[in-house]
Amino acid sequence: MDSVWPVVLAIVPSIGVGFLLYKVLKAILEGDRNERLAHARWEASQSTNAAPATGWAAADDADVGAGPGHAPR
């Protein structure tokens, strides 16, 4: 029985470090997953709130600046 305790005492720190590594990696992966879900929700809300046509292509297609003295395209 005396020869078992040195082995147990040698293994315990490795088990402790392994447990801490597991907890840290689990927290990182859960945080990443939650951030991706939140970003996807934000993108979905932005796409539903956005105007149907935005950017340069929309400005070229619209009659921007049409008024007195400007002929429609």
Side-chain angles (χ1 to χ4, degrees):
M1 188 70 174
D2 288 336
S3 64
V4 173
W5 287 112
V7 173
V8 170
L9 291 176
I11 292 175
V12 168
S14 297
I15 292 172
V17 170
F19 179 73
L20 289 175
L21 178 65
Y22 168 77
K23 293 300 260 183
V24 167
L25 289 178
K26 181 180 174 188
I28 289 171
L29 292 175
E30 286 178 358
D32 182 55
R33 182 180 69 230
N34 291 337
E35 185 176 354
R36 288 174 188 262
L37 288 172
H39 189 72
R41 284 189 211 115
W42 180 80
E43 281 186 342
S45 70
Q46 292 300 313
S47 66
T48 58
N49 294 339
T54 58
W56 289 105
D60 290 342
D61 293 340
D63 291 331
V64 177
H70 292 93
R73 295 183 200 188

